[in-house]
Amino acid sequence: MLGKLASLLDRPVVLRRAALASLVANIGIVCTGGLVRLTGSGLGCPTWPRCTEESYVTTQEMGHHGIIEFGNRTLTFVLGLIAVIALAAAWRQRRRVPGLLAAGVWMMAGIVFQGVLGGITVRMALNPWTVMAHFLASMLLIALAYVFWHRTRDVPPRWTAPAAIRTAGIVVTAVSAVVLVLGTVVTGSGPHSGDTKAARTGFDPETVSQLHGDAVFVLVGLTLAMWLGLRALGAPLRVTRAAALLLAVELAQGVVGFVQYFTGLPWPVVLLHMLGACLVWTATLGLLLAVSPRAERPAGARPEGELVYEGHSDASTA
């Protein structure tokens, strides 16, 4: 039995699928956490780590709010299990890709930290600043999971991007992070607090929404400029596609943002906007990695001397 398990963990495809599952699960738990807040179930389990002072699970008296909040807590264990499988596979295959195991360890540590931060958020009665930190910690976890997944993929040799393009990739990523931070400020100032008793930041929602929107326009402009620059430089198709994907996701997210703003923030649209934030962030990371140099070879990559570029192979003995 153990031999079969070890054999499975030695397979690159198992590692890749576990890494992708971890990324998807991290995005999914952001959405379920959003559902907790948007349905007013943030204190459905009013304490932590227990759900009540007497029980670790929700009770009938707590109604649907308790079920929603406890369900989100339960998903943390699913997320952890997936991460354990991915980390075990990374350990078995650690010699294939330098740095892969370290990325897995950081991802697991982030899940533990996020769980504790979630408990602190509950114990502080959904203080908006801890709620904001909880969401941003999830963005960090998504970044760790994305890097881990990216390192397991079979990818072509990297295009050596000019220094200006690499700098632009960093700037786009930084502005994307600013957009996320301002988005949490908007959330912490708006009506969906997670519970009727939860405090708000005290900022004017109109003002912070305008700041958030301005940052989004800057991000879209920078992404468009980067896409045009990559095309002008004759960058590989996979690189220009990464920029085009980010631009498309940003525009779609902008449409959702306008819809939620002008329709009075209905919770299904807000939840879709949260999913869009995760997708913008992952697309941003995809573009950053597409233009950033990396020395290590991905798991399952072809032997040295055989190059793969844009779908074509070239066996070289040079």
Side-chain angles (χ1 to χ4, degrees):
M1 181 66 179
L2 291 178
K4 289 183 178 180
L5 178 60
S7 178
L8 281 174
L9 294 176
D10 285 338
R11 296 172 59 186
V13 67
V14 172
L15 175 60
R16 285 194 296 270
R17 288 175 179 175
L20 179 58
S22 184
L23 174 60
V24 172
N26 274 289
I27 294 174
I29 204 167
V30 170
C31 295
T32 60
L35 183 63
V36 169
R37 178 173 58 82
L38 294 169
T39 57
S41 305
L43 295 177
C45 288
T47 188
W48 186 89
R50 289 185 170 91
C51 192
T52 70
E53 293 297 338
E54 296 80 21
S55 174
Y56 281 96
V57 300
T58 185
T59 63
Q60 186 175 359
E61 292 77 11
M62 301 173 72
H64 70 277
H65 291 308
I67 294 173
I68 293 173
E69 164 64 5
F70 182 73
N72 185 62
R73 292 189 184 189
T74 303
L75 285 177
T76 301
F77 294 100
V78 176
L79 179 64
L81 177 61
I82 295 172
V84 166
I85 295 172
L87 184 60
W91 169 262
R92 296 286 302 182
Q93 302 180 48
R94 61 191 181 279
R95 292 183 179 85
R96 287 179 177 271
V97 186
L100 179 64
L101 182 59
V105 170
W106 277 108
M107 184 174 65
M108 178 60 70
I111 292 171
V112 175
F113 171 78
Q114 177 69 321
V116 173
L117 182 57
I120 293 172
T121 300
V122 171
R123 284 189 167 271
M124 294 189 68
L126 306 183
N127 179 285
W129 299 103
T130 57
V131 172
M132 290 159 59
H134 193 43
F135 177 83
L136 293 175
S138 288
M139 295 301 104
L140 178 59
L141 258 178
I142 288 173
L144 292 171
Y146 189 93
V147 170
F148 182 79
W149 170 67
H150 185 80
R151 291 188 176 188
T152 68
R153 299 169 60 203
D154 290 321
V155 296
R158 284 190 178 277
W159 172 60
T160 304
I165 289 294
R166 296 197 298 270
T167 301
I170 294 172
V171 171
V172 167
T173 304
V175 174
S176 185
V178 170
V179 168
L180 287 173
V181 172
L182 290 175
T184 64
V185 177
V186 173
T187 297
S189 307
H192 296 297
S193 61
D195 189 85
T196 55
K197 300 176 182 178
R200 303 281 75 202
T201 63
F203 295 131
D204 177 47
E206 294 283 342
T207 301
V208 292
S209 294
Q210 184 63 58
L211 287 173
H212 177 62
D214 292 342
V216 169
F217 281 119
V218 172
L219 177 61
V220 171
L222 288 173
T223 305
L224 176 60
M226 191 168 182
W227 176 69
L228 292 172
L230 289 169
R231 286 178 59 87
L233 289 170
L237 183 59
R238 59 185 174 80
V239 180
T240 56
R241 278 178 176 172
L245 175 62
L246 174 57
L247 183 60
V249 174
E250 288 169 353
L251 292 175
Q253 174 74 334
V255 170
V256 175
F258 277 116
V259 170
Q260 71 167 3
Y261 181 79
F262 289 110
T263 57
L265 302 176
W267 74 261
V269 182
V270 177
L271 186 61
L272 183 61
H273 196 58
M274 292 185 67
L275 173 61
C278 296
L279 297 180
V280 168
W281 183 232
T282 53
T284 300
L285 297 170
L287 177 58
L288 177 65
L289 292 173
V291 299
S292 300
R294 192 182 75 186
E296 64 267 20
R297 295 173 60 81
R302 289 165 174 78
E304 191 168 352
E306 183 181 354
L307 301 182
V308 178
Y309 187 76
E310 297 301 329
H312 300 284
S313 63
D314 177 28
S316 171
T317 58

